């Protein structure tokens, strides 16, 4: 009967109840949707950032970060390979690269770029390159003269698949090496800059061009779980001579991205607070109005022998009903709107071109995590219940005598 | 045996800067089974007396003892329990919880007292029959006339066998015919169930129903007449 009473009471003034429910629905919905959206956005930023030749962990010659030249390559990678064999967890994938700055030209154009010698099979598993060939074909392991270029560079150079590019770079002996490579395929990247920055040839092709026997510039590792990254990096550091080698995680390599992640989380919290303050005021105001409209009734209940606590409880029961209705509806709405965008994502193009700047994809796919949903619901429920305590408390302070004199 | 004993009750209210002496020393003794009217002009202190006897207002000085319970020894919480179990209230209006049916309004008190659902229903219907509301169990207060609402309030007050029922101008909002029939019903309950009724009124006709009339004037008892008959 207590529940019945509360249930009927909340429908005495349906309009007011709807106002509170809407506040809760909007709060829950926006929080659920926003956390899913920002998660998607972050994931896309991270994926894009990491997949452009970063990965989760990288190993370089210690001097490479300051001077990324061929002189600072790791000339005896066998030791490192042995260490990685022992330390990498299940599911980890790694690839090796030779990376040098180069000068690329054809008959009419020329520009500076980064030439990357890759192991085509491993590279495919790790970086964006495997999924990004839009024209022509990917490199074959044995291809000594093939090259992959970005779409933007191809257009800038006004060239096409099958045509040649001249690559010039300083080789291991300090001499200038120069050789023609044939364009095998064209890759697309999320960012135009990436398409202009990198050129890919095979590892063997690179060794030949640069007169490099065993050396490599970097090892890039991708793990299958984010929480393992720091731990694994620490373990590798433990076993390698850190005077010679630098072991870095994506957070070290992409400090901007790390900052974005933090700023983003900060924004989310601010949004939570804004939503909650608005919702909280809505709830307190409307419930107080409801309480003051029913002064006579609360006075009557006290006269009949109710103590303050049962009065608080009955008002709280009403608030909790309203909260629950709002939370359920808000979750459904949040879930539906995430579902609607699951397949096609949210195309940020409608907000203009600027988003590329942040290193995220044009299309964001929201990611709904159980943890976020639970968080949102618990926060709204508990804070909602807490702010409802105030009107409930006010109701319990109404005495029969003052109620009757109204 | 006296069920209500009030001794030298004084009460003043401060309203702004004005001090109102609502009661200037009221003493009254009421026995089990009495049917008493508190009479007197507006502002004479009737409501204040009833509220103090009912334990919803505190006297500044003096003692109230209801069914052996001395209010000055009791906490607010104990007073609330006493109201729940020993005192029935009938107010001039707004006696009922609007979202509950007649039957549920009567049951509500028993629910608070911890009476089982089955017994609640049985007792509620029986008492509603007694006050003349058979068949109107599931009507909401808004679907009942003023007189019928007051009957539900009396039924609710009686149902838990209280020591006293305090009714502050129960007929004030009713036309005289409805008021009379309500009083007839109260009197019948008083006779049949031996419940003590104390009600206030400034209506001479209503006073006629009482076996005893306590007349208040300016916060004091002017006279206390027990009719023999
Ligand atoms: N809470 C209060 N605050 C201030 N003054 C009060 C309060 N309650 C009662 N009074 C004053 O005390 C006096 C007695 O009031 P009370 O309500 O007991 O009279 P009453 O006999 O019931 O009158 P009525 O017939 O109008 O109901 C009045 O002058 C009233 O204004
Ligand atoms: Mg009065």
């Amino acid at each position: 009967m207590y529940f019945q009473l509360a249930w009927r009471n909340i429908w005495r003034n349906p309009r007011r109840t709807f106002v509170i429910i809407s506040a809760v629905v909007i709060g829950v919905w926006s929080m659920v949707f926003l956390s899913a959206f920002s998660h998607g956005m972050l994931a896309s930023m991270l994926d894009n950032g990491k997949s452009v030749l970063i990965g989760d962990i990288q190993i370089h010659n210690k001097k490479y970060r300051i001077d990324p030249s061929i002189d600072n390559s790791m000339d005896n990678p066998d030791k490192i390979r042995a260490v990685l064999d022992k330390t990498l967890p299940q599911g980890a994938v790694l690839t090796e690269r030779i990376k040098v700055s180069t000068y690329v030209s054809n008959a009419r154009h020329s520009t500076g770029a980064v030439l990357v010698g890759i192991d085509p099979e491993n590279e495919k598993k790790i970086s964006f390159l495997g999924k990004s060939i839009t024209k022509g074909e990917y490199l074959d392991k044995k291809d000594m003269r093939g090259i992959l270029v970005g779409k933007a560079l191809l257009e800038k150079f006004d060239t096409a698949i099958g045509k040649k590019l001249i690559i010039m770079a300083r080789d291991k002996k300090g001499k200038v090496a120069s050789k023609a490579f044939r364009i095998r395929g064209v890759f697309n990247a999320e960012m135009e800059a990436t398409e202009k920055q990198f050129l890919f040839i095979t590892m063997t092709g690179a060794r030949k061009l640069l007169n490099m026997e065993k050396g490599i510039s970097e090892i890039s590792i991708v793990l299958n779980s984010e929480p393992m990254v720091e731990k694994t990096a620490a373990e590798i550091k433990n076993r390698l001579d850190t005077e010679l080698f630098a072991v870095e995680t994506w957070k070290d390599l992409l400090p901007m991205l790390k900052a974005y992640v933090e700023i983003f989380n900060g924004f989310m919290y601010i949004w939570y607070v804004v939503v909650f303050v608005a919702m909280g005021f809505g709830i307190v105001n409307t419930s107080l109005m409801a309480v003051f409209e029913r002064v006579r009734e609360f006075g009557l209940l006290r006269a009949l022998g109710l103590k303050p606590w049962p009065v608080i409880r009955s008002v709280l029961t009403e608030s909790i009903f309203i909260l629950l209705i709002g939370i359920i509806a808000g979750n459904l709405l949040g879930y539906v709107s995430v579902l609607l965008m699951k397949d096609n994502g949210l195309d940020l193009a409608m907000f203009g071109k600027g988003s590329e700047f942040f290193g995220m994809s044009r299309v964001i796919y929201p990611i709904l995590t159980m943890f976020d949903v639970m968080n949102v619901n618990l926060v709204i429920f508990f804070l909602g219940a807490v702010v409802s305590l105030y009107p409930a408390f006010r109701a319990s302070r109404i005495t029969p005598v003052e109620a009757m004199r109204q | 045996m006296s069920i209500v004993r009030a001794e030298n009750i004084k009460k003043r209210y401060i309203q702004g800067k004005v001090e109102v002496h609502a009661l200037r020393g009221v003493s009254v003794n009421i026995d089990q089974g009495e049917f008493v009217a508190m009479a007197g002009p507006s502002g004479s202190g009737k409501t204040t007396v009833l509220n103090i006897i009912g334990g919803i207002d505190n006297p500044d000085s003096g003692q109230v003892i209801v069914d052996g319970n001395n209010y000055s020894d009791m906490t607010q919480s104990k007073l609330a329990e006493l109201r729940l179990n020993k005192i029935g209230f009938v107010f001039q209006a707004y006696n009922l919880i609007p979202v509950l049916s007649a039957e549920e309004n009567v049951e509500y008190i028993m629910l608070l007292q911890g009476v089982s659902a089955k017994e609640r229903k049985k007792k509620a219907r029986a008492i509603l029959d007694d006050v003349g509301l058979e068949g109107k169990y599931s009507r909401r207060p808004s679907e009942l006339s003023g007189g019928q609402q007051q009957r539900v309030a009396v039924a609710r007050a009686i149902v838990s066998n209280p020591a006293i029922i305090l009714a502050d101008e129960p007929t004030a909002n009713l036309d005289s015919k409805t008021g009379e029939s309500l009083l007839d019903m109260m009197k019948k309950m008083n006779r049949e169930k031996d419940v003590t009724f104390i009600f206030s009124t400034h209506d001479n006709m209503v006073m006629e129903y009482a076996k005893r009339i306590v007349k208040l004037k300016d916060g004091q008892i002017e006279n206390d007449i027990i009719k023999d008959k």
Side-chain angles (χ1 to χ4, degrees):
Chain A
M1 192 154 147
Y2 293 118
F3 288 127
Q4 240 174 351
L5 182 61
W7 183 254
R8 289 183 199 164
N9 272 329
I10 66 177
W11 298 115
R12 272 162 86 166
N13 192 330
R15 240 188 61 179
R16 187 164 46 217
T17 301
F18 274 122
V19 168
I20 309 184
I21 289 179
S22 327
V24 178
V25 167
I26 292 171
V28 173
W29 173 71
S30 69
M31 281 182 176
V32 165
F33 182 73
L34 241 97
S35 64
F37 182 73
S38 76
H39 246 113
M41 198 133 81
L42 278 179
S44 121
M45 271 165 76
L46 284 177
D47 277 355
N48 289 341
K50 288 187 196 174
S51 76
V52 179
L53 311 190
I54 298 290
D56 286 323
I57 302 172
Q58 286 200 341
I59 303 169
H60 294 104
N61 183 320
K62 183 129 194 185
K63 285 178 264 170
Y64 182 86
R65 279 308 287 282
I66 307 152
D67 174 19
S69 80
I70 193 158
D71 302 330
N72 295 328
S73 52
M74 298 178 281
D75 292 329
N76 191 2
D78 288 337
K79 266 191 302 185
I80 307 171
R81 290 184 188 125
V83 166
L84 293 181
D85 248 7
K86 281 187 219 122
T87 43
L88 289 191
Q90 274 272 315
V93 194
L94 65 84
T95 192
E96 297 173 357
R97 298 184 187 116
I98 292 175
K99 251 163 123 181
V100 291
S101 41
T102 183
Y103 191 71
V104 52
S105 58
N106 66 3
R108 268 157 295 172
H109 303 270
S110 61
T111 183
V114 176
L115 181 70
V116 189
I118 56 168
D119 170 348
E121 263 140 56
N122 283 343
E123 189 68 40
K124 203 175 197 167
K125 293 183 211 152
I126 282 192
S127 76
F128 77 104
L129 195 61
K131 296 170 263 173
S132 311
I133 303 296
T134 50
K135 262 192 275 171
E137 50 201 43
Y138 193 59
L139 288 177
D140 184 85
K141 199 174 171 132
K142 280 175 244 141
D143 190 344
M144 300 292 283
R145 312 203 38 189
I147 191 164
L148 300 177
V149 299
K151 184 167 162 268
L153 192 86
L154 190 86
E155 281 164 7
K156 190 179 155 203
F157 271 43
D158 198 15
T159 180
I161 287 175
K163 300 226 163 123
K164 280 184 186 171
L165 289 177
I166 309 297
I167 298 290
M168 242 196 284
R170 203 163 60 85
D171 73 6
K172 190 69 186 170
K173 297 190 172 118
K175 296 202 191 101
V176 174
S178 166
K179 194 174 177 182
F181 284 81
R182 206 174 280 282
I183 299 172
R184 300 271 191 249
V186 178
F187 66 85
N188 268 15
E190 287 294 342
M191 282 180 289
E192 210 178 278
T194 311
E195 294 175 3
K196 285 185 179 164
Q197 193 183 358
F198 294 107
L199 299 164
F200 296 92
I201 58 176
T202 60
M203 195 67 133
T204 35
R207 288 198 194 292
K208 181 118 190 275
L209 174 74
L210 302 168
N211 263 314
M212 204 163 171
E213 272 176 33
K214 282 174 75 183
I216 53 174
S217 305
E218 73 183 18
I219 297 178
S220 175
I221 302 161
V222 170
L223 305 178
N224 56 5
S225 101
E226 174 66 30
M228 288 295 290
V229 172
E230 294 295 332
K231 214 184 122 213
T232 310
E235 208 159 311
I236 298 170
K237 266 185 216 169
N238 252 335
R239 297 182 185 223
L240 279 182
D241 184 352
T242 47
E243 289 297 311
L244 294 178
F245 301 108
V247 179
E248 291 153 304
T249 66
W250 67 268
K251 285 180 189 164
D252 307 318
L253 297 162
L254 299 166
M256 283 287 272
L257 200 53
K258 186 181 166 225
Y260 281 143
V261 171
E262 274 155 21
I263 291 171
F264 238 106
N265 286 337
F267 272 132
M268 283 300 295
Y269 281 114
I270 292 171
W271 176 248
Y272 275 24
V273 170
V274 166
V275 164
F276 194 74
V277 167
M279 201 186 78
F281 270 111
I283 292 178
V284 170
N285 259 325
T286 25
S287 336
L288 268 183
M289 253 158 67
V291 164
F292 289 134
E293 261 173 36
R294 284 157 60 196
V295 165
R296 303 225 37 148
E297 211 173 306
F298 291 115
L300 171 71
L301 293 178
R302 297 300 304 280
L304 293 180
L306 259 77
K307 293 176 193 174
W309 167 239
V311 174
I312 292 180
R313 199 178 49 197
S314 74
V315 179
L316 267 188
T317 309
E318 293 172 25
S319 303
I320 284 172
F321 267 139
I322 294 180
L323 270 173
L324 286 179
I325 296 172
I327 284 176
I328 290 170
N331 276 302
L332 285 178
L333 207 63
Y335 189 66
V336 166
S337 41
V338 167
L339 215 61
L340 282 179
M341 274 173 216
K342 200 172 153 251
D343 291 332
N344 297 321
L346 184 69
D347 194 340
L348 294 182
M350 61 187 174
F351 302 119
K353 237 188 143 222
S355 67
E356 196 175 80
F357 172 72
F358 292 101
M360 54 192 159
S361 308
R362 212 177 50 126
V363 178
I364 300 294
Y365 296 90
I367 299 173
L368 200 58
T369 67
M370 203 56 211
F371 180 78
D372 281 344
V373 172
M374 293 287 280
N375 250 354
V376 166
N377 283 305
L378 287 179
V379 164
I380 295 213
F381 182 78
F382 278 107
L383 291 181
V386 167
V387 297
S388 303
L389 273 175
Y390 178 66
F393 174 77
R394 288 295 292 266
S396 78
R397 304 286 295 179
I398 295 166
T399 67
V401 174
E402 64 180 296
M404 268 173 315
R405 286 180 65 85
Q406 279 222 337
Chain B
M1 194 198 104
S2 108
I3 197 118
V4 174
R5 234 172 77 209
E7 275 168 25
N8 199 23
I9 295 172
K10 290 184 182 158
K11 178 79 182 177
R12 57 191 177 137
Y13 292 105
I14 318 270
Q15 210 163 26
K17 286 209 165 114
V18 195
E19 240 189 8
V20 185
H21 289 267
L23 299 177
R24 303 165 189 267
V26 169
S27 301
V28 68
N29 249 305
I30 294 165
D31 285 341
Q32 162 77 41
E34 280 198 85
F35 197 74
V36 187
M38 291 273 163
S42 187
S44 57
K46 307 180 292 290
T47 298
T48 309
V49 171
L50 290 182
N51 286 349
I52 287 173
I53 291 174
I56 55 177
D57 203 353
N58 311 310
D60 296 331
S61 64
Q63 288 211 322
V64 183
I65 300 158
V66 170
D67 200 25
N69 301 280
N70 191 328
Y71 287 6
S72 47
D73 305 336
M74 293 169 75
T75 59
Q76 285 302 316
S77 157
K78 283 268 170 264
L79 263 177
E81 280 167 28
L82 186 87
R83 288 201 296 274
L84 181 61
N85 297 305
K86 297 277 162 118
I87 300 171
F89 283 97
V90 178
F91 300 109
Q92 185 176 325
Y94 303 107
N95 271 298
L96 306 177
I97 299 169
V99 294
L100 298 182
S101 67
E103 186 178 15
E104 288 164 338
N105 261 288
V106 178
E107 276 190 53
Y108 188 65
I109 285 293
M110 291 188 278
L111 175 74
L112 296 171
Q113 290 169 332
V115 179
S116 76
K118 213 174 126 199
E119 189 162 344
R120 286 203 304 261
K121 190 151 218 111
K122 206 179 89 194
K123 278 188 160 179
R125 295 204 163 181
I127 199 76
L128 284 171
D129 291 347
D130 282 345
V131 300
L133 290 173
E134 37 304 83
K136 304 201 167 59
Y137 310 134
S138 55
R139 293 225 193 148
R140 295 277 177 95
S142 58
E143 298 160 344
L144 294 168
S145 71
Q148 289 169 331
Q149 289 178 31
Q150 292 303 73
R151 283 166 188 262
V152 177
V154 173
R156 179 185 61 198
I158 291 176
V159 78
S160 50
N161 299 315
I164 47 169
I165 292 177
L166 301 167
D168 192 12
E169 313 215 25
T171 59
N173 280 15
L174 306 177
D175 61 64
S176 59
K177 210 172 131 239
T178 319
E180 276 179 57
S181 90
L182 182 74
L183 281 160
D184 276 332
M185 186 275 281
M186 283 164 61
K187 209 164 179 179
K188 183 182 128 211
M189 290 294 126
N190 167 254
R191 202 169 49 237
E192 286 174 5
K193 300 193 189 283
D194 199 32
V195 209
T196 312
F197 275 88
I198 308 170
F199 64 96
S200 72
T201 182
H202 50 240
D203 184 336
N204 287 322
M205 196 275 299
V206 173
M207 273 175 253
E208 293 306 307
Y209 280 82
K211 299 173 195 158
R212 175 178 171 190
I213 301 171
V214 178
K215 253 207 175 106
L216 286 170
K217 195 181 173 196
D218 293 332
Q220 279 176 313
I221 294 181
E222 194 180 38
N223 56 37
D224 188 344
I225 309 155
I226 301 177
K227 290 191 274 188
D228 37 21
K229 187 173 73 161

